[in-house]
Amino acid sequence: QVQLVESGGGLVQAGGSLRLSCAASGRTFSNYSTAWFRQAPGKEREFVAAISKRSSIYYADSVKGRFTISRDNAKNTVYLQMNSLKPEDTAVYYCAADPTQISTAMEYWGKGTLVTVSS
């Protein structure tokens, strides 16, 4: 069992930055791929960024060049640095972890943290 707790969300103006954190507990964090997803009101949950257990990194095209995912296995924490934020980045951001896949079917999920970008 893995427990995930996100933090760092909030209200920011367009062009600003936020750093989200996802703290994990329960199992050896380095054995899991981790990812960030987001869900805007009235929309489906969508992939944002991921870092595999072998440290390969993936980004959605919509955030490439603006967001950076990183992981500190010693702290069991994954981060999402978000720069040049846009109003369309407004969403609840979820952290997820899974031993074998990166997808919306990942096994473990946090409860999410709200990011609101004002224009």
Side-chain angles (χ1 to χ4, degrees):
Q1 191 78 4
V2 176
Q3 294 80 41
L4 302 172
V5 179
E6 303 97 335
S7 62
L11 174 64
V12 63
Q13 288 189 330
S17 298
L18 282 175
R19 187 176 82 154
L20 306 183
S21 299
C22 173
S25 61
R27 292 283 179 91
T28 303
F29 194 52
S30 59
N31 291 337
Y32 290 78
S33 295
T34 53
W36 288 95
F37 291 79
R38 66 187 181 186
Q39 188 166 18
K43 295 188 176 181
E44 293 187 353
R45 191 169 297 188
E46 65 174 3
F47 170 77
V48 175
I51 182 165
S52 75
K53 58 186 178 183
R54 292 181 173 82
S55 298
S56 296
I57 291 177
Y58 310 91
Y59 293 102
D61 287 344
S62 59
V63 307
K64 207 171 288 185
R66 300 188 298 123
F67 290 10
T68 302
I69 189 171
S70 61
R71 185 170 69 190
D72 186 334
N73 288 334
K75 295 182 178 180
N76 278 4
T77 302
V78 62
Y79 303 97
L80 185 68
Q81 178 66 42
M82 305 186 296
N83 298 328
S84 302
L85 282 161
K86 304 175 182 180
E88 51 263 44
D89 295 318
T90 295
V92 177
Y93 283 71
Y94 297 91
C95 176
D98 193 281
T100 61
Q101 65 175 310
I102 297 172
S103 75
T104 54
M106 294 178 81
E107 186 171 1
Y108 301 105
W109 291 83
K111 294 184 177 181
T113 186
L114 177 63
V115 172
T116 304
V117 184
S118 63
S119 58

